[in-house]
């Protein structure tokens, strides 16, 4: 009997042939692929988790405040933001994983630091805007986020061009969100 676990296999006690014969379960061979897969899962889901936590912390401040804001006519429907951010966070996770796998060096270190900076800025924008209702602070915060994304994309380009290019939708969305934040500030500030 044999149970497949990704690319490795678990062999049961009693098998006469194979590297695991004589062991009750041969798990050691599966630990290396499991550790690699766990790291991959962690890196892919880190941005999604940060976005989810930011959303949870910000939701407490939504209430009537946001509903009562004057909004521009061109503001997208609220249902659109969740799917867009989910896709963008997934793309960030892919670029983070590719960066992590790149050879050691100053470019990799720079890209990882800029990833952390842009994700931190991204995290705090929701809090500043939705929880603390600080429109001018949110405008400043989103401009920092935009700048950190530009710098991150430039650093990614030196490591993996595809990882850089797939962040262009993120930059475009934050550019749009910056204009939207400015409009909300103008209409309500």
């Amino acid at each position: 009997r044999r149970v497949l676990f990704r690319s490795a296999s678990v062999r049961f006690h009693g098998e006469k042939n194979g590297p695991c014969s004589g062991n009750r379960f041969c798990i050691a061979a599966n630990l290396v692929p499991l550790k690699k897969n766990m790291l991959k899962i962690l890196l892919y889901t880190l941005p999604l988790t940060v976005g989810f936590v930011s959303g949870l912390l910000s939701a407490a401040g939504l209430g009537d405040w946001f509903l009562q804001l004057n909004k521009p006519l061109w503001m997208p429907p609220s249902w659109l933001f969740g799917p867009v951010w989910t896709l963008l966070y997934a793309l960030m996770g892919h670029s983070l994983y590719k960066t992590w796998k790149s050879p050691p060096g100053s470019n990799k270190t720079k890209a990882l630091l800029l990833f952390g900076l842009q994700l931190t800025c991204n995290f705090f924008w929701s809090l500043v805007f939705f929880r603390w209702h600080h429109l001018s602070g949110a405008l400043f915060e989103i401009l920092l986020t935009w700048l950190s994304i530009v710098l991150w994309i430039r650093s990614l380009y030196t490591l993996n061009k595809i990882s850089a290019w797939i962040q262009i939708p993120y930059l475009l969305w934050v550019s749009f969100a910056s204009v939207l934040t400015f409009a909300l500030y103008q209409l309500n500030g």
Side-chain angles (χ1 to χ4, degrees):
R1 289 183 305 163
R2 196 162 120 178
V3 177
L4 292 178
F5 184 80
R6 294 267 177 195
S7 61
S9 64
V10 176
R11 296 177 187 270
F12 293 94
H13 179 67
E15 283 188 302
K16 294 182 179 174
N17 299 326
C20 296
S21 61
N23 294 335
R24 182 168 177 107
F25 292 104
C26 185
I27 305 257
N30 292 319
L31 291 180
V32 171
L34 181 62
K35 284 173 77 173
K36 284 182 183 177
N37 287 332
M38 291 302 289
L39 178 63
K40 187 175 188 177
I41 290 167
L42 174 70
L43 294 173
Y44 267 90
T45 59
L46 177 66
L48 288 161
T49 303
V50 168
F52 179 74
V53 170
S54 177
L56 283 179
L57 293 174
S58 301
L62 273 173
D64 290 336
W65 175 79
F66 184 73
L67 296 174
Q68 293 173 0
L69 284 178
N70 296 317
K71 297 172 188 76
L73 295 174
W74 46 269
M75 183 167 176
S78 58
W79 61 263
L80 182 64
F81 289 85
V84 168
W85 277 113
T86 301
L87 174 64
L88 296 175
Y89 286 132
L91 291 172
M92 278 185 233
H94 178 76
S95 292
L96 175 60
Y97 176 71
K98 291 297 188 180
T99 302
W100 190 267
K101 285 186 58 174
S102 65
S106 60
N107 289 341
K108 176 180 179 175
T109 302
K110 182 179 177 183
L112 290 172
L113 289 172
L114 289 168
F115 169 81
L117 175 64
Q118 67 81 24
L119 193 60
T120 301
C121 290
N122 181 310
F123 175 85
F124 278 105
W125 181 88
S126 294
L127 292 174
V128 172
F129 185 87
F130 289 112
R131 188 172 184 124
W132 301 325
H133 309 157
H134 200 292
L135 294 173
S136 61
L139 183 57
F140 178 74
E141 177 68 27
I142 203 161
L143 293 175
L144 285 178
T145 304
W146 186 90
L147 179 60
S148 66
I149 294 167
V150 169
L151 295 173
W152 179 49
I153 290 172
R154 285 182 62 196
S155 71
L156 282 175
Y157 197 78
T158 64
L159 296 172
N160 184 309
K161 290 177 181 35
I162 292 173
S163 290
W165 280 108
I166 66 172
Q167 295 312 312
I168 298 301
Y170 177 36
L171 181 64
L172 293 174
W173 184 254
V174 171
S175 298
F176 172 74
S178 299
V179 173
L180 181 57
T181 303
F182 179 72
L184 290 167
Y185 172 73
Q186 290 287 89
L187 293 170
N188 299 280

